[in-house]
Amino acid sequence: MNKRILLAAAAALALPLPALAQTAPLDPAALRDAALRDDIAWDITEGLTTEVGQRLAATEAEARAREWGARKLKALGFQNVRIETFKMPLWVRGEEKAEVLGASAQKLTITALGNSGTTGPKGVEGEIVYFPTIADLQMAPAGSLKGKIAFVSHSMTATQDGSQYGAFGAARRSGPSTAAAKGAVAILIRSIGTDYHRNPHTGVTNWPKDVKPIAAAALAVPDSEQLERLLKRGPVRMKLLITPEFKGEAESGNVIGEVPGSDPDAGIVLVGGHLDSWDLGTGAIDDATGVAITTAAAKRIMDAGQPRRTIRVVWFGAEEVGGFGGEAYAKAHGGERHVFASESDFGADRIWKFTVNLPESAASLSDKLAVALGPLGISRGRDLAGGGTDVEPILRGKVATVALAQSGLRYFDYHHTPDDTLDKVDPVQLRQNVAAWTATLAIVANAAEEIGPVEKTGRE
Ligand code: ZN
Ligand code: ZN
C-alpha cells in the first residue's frame, strides 16, 4: 500500500501514526533464529578474557580493558564510542594464609574478601568462635568476640533462580562488619558458593563509616567443613596473615557505544554488563559474557536495519566492588530520556524465564516477548522485573525493564573464584542468550507503542 494512502487511512481511523510512519522492519523471530548461529558474543568473551585477563576495578588491567572495549565497539560499527572515567577507592589483594595451630596444625585455603582490612605483616592469632548462620552472629552479645576470630557458615544450595545468594550472601556482605562491631580481630566465612573445589570465593564486603575494617576472608567449602569437624573435637586456635591494601583514589570508567535510532524523541534503550572482574580468574562468566551477549544482540539489530529507538550499550566499570560504574553512569546520563534498561550479569547458561516491568501504554510488549521467546524455552514469570547493580540507579527513575533470567544451577560453583575462566562458557547456551536478547531488543527498540514511566520499581 502507498504510504500516503496508509497515513490518510490511519488518520481517518485515529490510529497512532508513528507505528505506520517509520521504522524498518525488524522481525523478532527471524532475528532470533539467525542469532542462534551467533559468533560475535564468543569472539568478545574469548578476546577480553584472553587479551586482558582479570580486570580488577580501578587497576591498570581494567584501564586496558576499557581501551580494548572501545576498540572492539568501534570495529563492530557502533557510533559515539567513548570512555567515561570516574574516581573511586582502589583496593588490592596482598598475602593470604591461614593455619590451624596446635595438635591438628594444618593450612587451610582462604582468599580475602574485597574491602577486607589487614592483619598487618605479622598476622593475628586467635580462638575461633563458630556461628552456623549469620543470624547466630547477629545474636552474639556485644563485646563477646574481643580478641577472637569469628567463623560464619551457611547452607547455600544451587537453585535455578540463584535466589539463595541473596540470603546466604549476607554472611559475606555484612558478617565482617557485624563481627568487627562485636570486637573480633578477624573473620572467616564459608565461601558463598555451591562447589566442592578447593577454590575460595571472593566478593565484596561493606563497612559502615563507624566500623574499622578487620581482616575478612572466605574459606574454600571443603576447608570450611574441615574447620567445622575440628571444632566438634574441641577449641581451635588459628593464625591468619591477610594483607590487602587500600591504595587511595584511582580511575575507573564506563565504555559506551550506540546504535542510533530513527526517532530521537522515542527515548534510549540501555543494555549492558560489567567490564570489571575479580582478580582471581579471568571474569568469563562474571561478566565478560554479559557485555558480550548484550553487545552481540545490539550489533545484530544494527546489521538488520535502523531501530526506532537508540540502543546504547554500556560496559560498566567497577561493579564488583560497589557498583561505582552504574552510579557514575546515572549521574552523567540520568537526565536523558531512558525508556528501557536491562543488564546481563548472571553468566551465560540458558535463559529459562523472563519477567517484565512495563507501563500500561506498552503492556502489549509482554505478549510479543512471550511469542518471540517461547521457542527458546523461555517462559513468562509473574514477578515484577528489577535490574542488577549496574542499571538499578537508572531504573530508580521509573524506567521500564525486562529481565532475562539465566539458569543459576552451576553459576555459584565458579562465581568469584580462580575457576571463572573461558572454558566454563558453553557456546550453545551463549548463543541462546544472544538469540533471546536480540529478539527482546527487536521488540523493545522498535516498538511503535510509547514506553513511558512504570508505576513502581521492581526488585532484582
Ligand atoms: Zn557480576
Ligand atoms: Zn560478581
Side-chain angles (χ1 to χ4, degrees):
M1 195 185 295
N2 175 302
K3 190 173 167 186
R4 196 158 47 82
I5 298 173
L6 196 63
L7 287 174
L13 292 167
L15 290 176
L17 287 175
L20 301 159
Q22 13 199 318
T23 64
L26 289 170
D27 177 33
L31 286 167
R32 172 198 67 207
D33 293 346
L36 288 171
R37 295 185 295 279
D38 178 80
D39 285 323
I40 304 164
W42 179 267
D43 173 66
I44 293 171
T45 307
E46 192 265 354
L48 186 59
T49 57
T50 303
E51 293 168 31
V52 181
Q54 68 82 20
R55 307 171 293 283
L56 186 67
T59 63
E60 167 277 334
E62 197 203 29
R64 268 191 291 131
R66 284 194 292 281
E67 296 296 334
W68 191 96
R71 272 200 312 276
K72 177 60 77 175
L73 287 170
K74 279 180 193 159
L76 288 169
F78 283 83
Q79 302 292 303
N80 307 324
V81 175
R82 67 239 192 229
I83 293 169
E84 294 182 349
T85 58
F86 52 86
K87 296 277 193 216
M88 56 166 288
L90 170 61
W91 175 93
V92 293
R93 191 175 300 285
E95 280 194 275
E96 31 202 34
K97 288 182 186 157
E99 53 182 313
V100 173
L101 304 172
S104 294
Q106 56 188 285
K107 290 185 174 136
L108 296 179
T109 309
I110 60 164
T111 195
L113 302 180
N115 289 340
S116 166
T118 179
T119 61
K122 292 190 180 143
V124 293
E125 272 186 41
E127 189 182 331
I128 297 289
V129 183
Y130 174 53
F131 300 99
T133 70
I134 182 74
D136 291 287
L137 172 62
Q138 286 159 352
M139 286 160 60
S144 64
L145 295 178
K146 204 160 177 27
K148 309 269 172 69
I149 299 172
F151 165 42
V152 185
S153 190
H154 60 82
S155 304
M156 181 177 172
T157 52
T159 57
Q160 185 169 233
D161 66 2
S163 54
Q164 293 213 321
Y165 183 57
F168 291 118
R172 188 195 80 212
R173 294 189 301 268
S174 66
S177 64
T178 304
K182 294 175 193 288
V185 291
I187 178 172
L188 296 173
I189 64 161
R190 176 179 170 133
S191 278
I192 310 302
T194 51
D195 62 297
Y196 272 91
H197 292 281
R198 236 180 149 185
N199 280 335
H201 297 233
T202 190
V204 78
T205 193
N206 306 304
W207 308 101
K209 278 205 179 66
D210 56 338
V211 176
K212 188 169 177 282
I214 56 172
L219 287 153
V221 170
D223 297 68
S224 179
E225 295 194 353
Q226 177 83 334
L227 182 53
E228 286 185 41
R229 283 190 296 273
L230 287 167
L231 285 160
K232 278 191 185 142
R233 286 163 165 80
V236 174
R237 279 186 73 78
M238 283 186 74
K239 177 169 185 187
L240 302 176
L241 178 69
I242 301 167
T243 60
E245 281 179 77
F246 289 98
K247 298 267 200 185
E249 292 277 291
E251 193 169 80
S252 180
N254 298 324
V255 184
I256 300 177
E258 290 175 351
V259 181
S262 60
D263 181 355
D265 298 328
I268 296 163
V269 169
L270 169 69
V271 295
H274 65 85
L275 180 57
D276 68 308
S277 76
W278 283 109
D279 52 340
L280 303 176
T282 62
I285 62 167
D286 189 14
D287 185 30
T289 48
V291 299
I293 290 162
T294 50
T295 302
K299 163 73 174 162
R300 302 191 74 88
I301 300 290
M302 180 201 306
D303 290 350
Q306 189 178 29
R308 180 179 173 215
R309 295 182 177 81
T310 293
I311 301 171
R312 183 177 288 171
V313 179
V314 182
W315 298 18
F316 292 94
E319 188 272 350
E320 293 289 7
V321 288
F324 293 94
E327 293 292 348
Y329 177 85
K331 207 171 157 195
H333 299 284
E336 296 163 43
R337 187 175 174 233
H338 291 79
V339 293
F340 178 91
S342 182
E343 71 187 71
S344 173
D345 186 15
F346 199 52
D349 278 356
R350 183 165 282 278
I351 295 171
W352 61 281
K353 183 179 82 165
F354 79 95
T355 50
V356 305
N357 186 7
L358 295 165
E360 200 53 47
S361 61
S364 64
L365 299 187
S366 177
D367 289 340
K368 289 176 185 163
L369 286 164
V371 167
L373 299 176
L376 296 172
I378 302 168
S379 56
R380 178 160 40 185
R382 291 181 182 178
D383 300 343
L384 196 60
T389 307
D390 288 317
V391 299
E392 203 268 337
I394 286 291
L395 293 183
R396 264 184 245 145
K398 303 269 166 40
V399 171
T401 189
V402 171
L404 296 168
Q406 291 137 317
S407 171
L409 286 172
R410 60 181 195 132
Y411 187 66
F412 292 108
D413 290 354
Y414 310 122
H415 180 248
H416 296 179
T417 74
D419 253 356
D420 179 0
T421 48
L422 181 66
D423 49 287
K424 310 307 180 304
V425 179
D426 173 359
V428 175
Q429 297 191 67
L430 181 68
R431 288 190 181 112
Q432 188 256 12
N433 274 257
V434 177
W437 275 89
T438 303
T440 301
L441 279 182
I443 290 167
V444 172
N446 218 37
E449 293 88 341
E450 181 66 11
I451 308 178
V454 296
E455 269 174 41
K456 59 175 184 172
T457 309
R459 295 191 69 104
E460 189 190 11

